[in-house]
Amino acid sequence: MTTVQDWQAKSWVASANEAGCGFPLQGLPYCSFTSEDNRSVRIGVGIGAEVLDLHALSGAGLLASLGGEVVSACCAAQLNALMGCGPEAWRMLRGRLLELLGEGVAAEQREMVAAALTPVADVRFGLPVAVGDYTDFYASIHHARKVGSLFRPEQPLLPNYAWVPIGYHGRTSSLVVSGTEVRRPSGQYRVAGAEAPVLGPTRQLDYEMEVAAYIGAGSAMGEPVGVTEAEGHIFGISLLNDWSARDIQAWEAQPLGPFLGKNFATSLSPWVVPMEALEPFRVRLAERENGMPGPLPHLQEGGDARSGVNLSVEVYLRTALMISDLLEPFRISAANCRELYWSFAQMVAHHTSNGCNLRVGDLIASGTVSGSAAGSEGCLLECTRRGVQPITLPNGEVRAFLEDGDEVILRGFCEREGFRRISLGECRGIVRAAVV
Ligand code: MN
């Protein structure tokens, strides 16, 4: 039997075994989709260039051994019910899928599973999870420092950063799936030198390259989740673009946090990569810099805790002109999640430390992922030093912030010698002109 531990196993789905394919048997990310053949919304699993329809798989009786609760959860349109079945059910379903998609499956079953496959190219993705609450953190110290240096050159990093995972409560009504167009927001901002603000389309539209974790197991109100148990509450991860209007944000966020400068749209990749698929890529977080204190006891992980993920994230830009000239998207920057200052486990522990309960389907985002090196800035604010040093694209176009028609593409993947590549897929969005 194929097990979760078999990192070399192959699938009978040929496209999954191709070198460089980010959707091998070991990945099996979840999604929500519709297809031409089947108009109803289904949950599915990515394998090679195909999506496996879990509703169809249940209908064929192939999941019956997992029990009625899991079978009915697999017939839902989004992942919430499945997540609510709990970590043991997630493991069992994954084990069953590894069995059914593995090379060793009986010919008869293989035929039934093959009937439940649809080419990825033929499906339309929806949001995989109905998100309840959304929290966005600020876990990259490199991002915090570089952004801080723009506004407070004398003290880029505020003293609390070393101790407390900073975050804000986001909004779920404007979460959209990759591929959804994003309308340039209008808002109130004050142009440098002016006395009074104006209302108008943002002049400083930006992206934020982030990774987000879905809470699969909730917690009780009043009961903090310990940092060592926190990972057990996470179902899987996705890419997230926290679109930001910097001029609106700068004007409104005095003295409170982000509001209309960010809640007009947040894009999510369609795939949720289960934590088990990331096991070979788990690492200790990058060592804290000299002089940085260790965390307080409730955020203290064991010395050998592999709470980080060796996960590369990249952001690409393709302007309207590049699209019409059939030019490839241009990579603006690349960073790695192992360089975050706080792990998702620490974010969960901190989030619940005051007794705030988490619910199935909550979303916790990392904040902009930036690295220490040049070329690893996770947003244009950092890249262009607040628009002062615009970037020049290969076709000669220049960008300080995003323009209408620009497409932003986030990509994420895990790679390690001797293991299959695991892709998080893409999170795309094209900017459209403001309504005026
Ligand atoms: Mn953010």
Side-chain angles (χ1 to χ4, degrees):
M1 184 183 124
T2 311
T3 69
V4 186
Q5 262 55 253
D6 190 349
W7 299 104
Q8 309 307 327
K10 289 190 171 164
S11 172
W12 52 263
V13 178
S15 57
N17 303 325
E18 285 170 16
C21 170
F23 295 81
L25 183 62
Q26 289 75 13
L28 304 183
Y30 293 96
C31 68
S32 171
F33 74 102
T34 53
S35 67
E36 278 301 313
D37 312 340
N38 245 314
R39 298 300 177 96
S40 68
V41 186
R42 307 286 175 99
I43 57 178
V45 165
I47 175 83
E50 313 278 334
V51 177
L52 174 62
D53 178 344
L54 291 193
H55 191 291
L57 211 58
S58 308
L62 291 168
L63 301 178
S65 61
L66 304 176
E69 195 190 358
V70 175
V71 168
S72 89
C74 286
C75 297
Q78 287 175 304
L79 296 170
N80 301 62
L82 177 59
M83 297 193 302
C85 291
E88 189 49 37
W90 313 338
R91 272 188 291 276
M92 283 171 57
L93 174 59
R94 183 173 160 86
R96 179 65 176 148
L97 294 172
L98 287 166
E99 201 172 74
L100 291 171
L101 290 164
E103 280 185 320
V105 71
E108 189 183 312
Q109 288 188 328
R110 175 169 161 169
E111 213 169 288
M112 291 160 81
V113 178
L117 294 175
T118 307
V120 171
D122 295 346
V123 311
R124 220 182 131 81
F125 292 110
L127 280 175
V129 175
V131 177
D133 283 301
Y134 157 45
T135 305
D136 193 19
F137 278 91
Y138 199 52
S140 164
I141 190 171
H142 307 294
H143 172 66
R145 183 178 283 124
K146 283 187 219 169
V147 168
S149 73
L150 298 172
F151 299 90
R152 293 177 309 274
E154 69 294 347
Q155 191 185 28
L157 210 55
L158 293 173
N160 65 347
Y161 192 88
W163 301 95
V164 60
I166 307 285
Y168 70 92
H169 281 128
R171 188 166 179 85
T172 56
S173 66
S174 47
L175 291 174
V176 293
V177 74
S178 172
T180 307
E181 296 186 341
V182 171
R183 182 71 67 180
R184 176 180 299 273
S186 285
Q188 193 180 125
Y189 52 86
R190 196 172 65 177
V191 177
E195 214 168 283
V198 294
L199 177 79
T202 174
R203 298 177 180 188
Q204 298 186 341
L205 185 60
D206 201 353
Y207 53 79
E208 290 189 342
M209 171 169 76
E210 305 196 15
V211 174
Y214 286 97
I215 296 299
S219 67
M221 193 169 171
E223 292 179 20
V225 174
V227 70
T228 48
E229 288 84 52
E231 273 256 340
H233 290 257
I234 299 174
F235 178 78
I237 61 170
S238 290
L239 297 168
L240 180 147
N241 182 350
D242 179 21
W243 302 92
S244 301
R246 301 302 185 189
D247 41 10
I248 300 172
Q249 184 186 354
W251 176 240
E252 73 182 0
Q254 306 171 24
L256 295 186
F259 185 35
L260 303 186
K262 282 176 177 284
N263 70 3
F264 56 94
T266 305
S267 301
L268 280 158
S269 57
W271 302 109
V272 183
V273 177
M275 296 312 284
E276 291 153 290
L278 301 173
E279 169 51 34
F281 310 98
R282 300 310 300 270
V283 290
R284 295 183 60 181
L285 283 182
E287 201 158 323
R288 292 192 167 188
E289 302 160 23
N290 270 340
M292 295 307 265
L296 290 178
H298 72 297
L299 300 176
Q300 184 92 58
E301 299 175 324
D304 55 352
R306 294 185 304 137
S307 62
V309 190
N310 179 9
L311 165 62
S312 298
V313 285
E314 302 176 325
V315 59
Y316 292 76
L317 179 65
R318 193 156 65 143
T319 67
L321 186 63
M322 290 167 76
I323 293 172
S324 71
D325 287 348
L326 303 177
L327 296 175
E328 288 296 310
F330 174 67
R331 193 176 81 175
I332 299 180
S333 48
N336 193 298
C337 290
R338 70 190 304 168
E339 282 204 73
L340 293 176
Y341 187 82
W342 299 108
S343 67
F344 277 113
Q346 288 171 319
M347 292 183 237
V348 166
H350 178 65
H351 204 311
T352 58
S353 62
N354 67 344
C356 171
N357 50 322
L358 296 177
R359 293 181 296 188
V360 174
D362 283 357
L363 186 67
I364 290 185
S366 60
T368 307
V369 181
S370 296
S372 49
S376 63
E377 302 86 357
C379 61
L380 286 176
L381 180 69
E382 270 184 59
C383 283
T384 70
R385 305 284 303 164
R386 211 182 180 184
V388 172
Q389 297 169 11
I391 51 171
T392 303
L393 302 172
N395 69 349
E397 288 184 281
V398 171
R399 286 292 180 275
F401 289 99
L402 296 172
E403 295 191 7
D404 296 343
D406 284 355
E407 181 176 30
V408 176
I409 304 160
L410 306 184
R411 292 178 185 156
F413 54 88
C414 292
E415 281 177 345
R416 179 181 163 191
E417 187 75 35
F419 291 85
R420 295 299 308 274
R421 182 178 202 267
I422 302 290
S423 175
L424 268 72
E426 290 186 334
C427 180
R428 310 173 81 106
I430 295 188
V431 176
R432 293 301 180 206
V435 182
V436 284

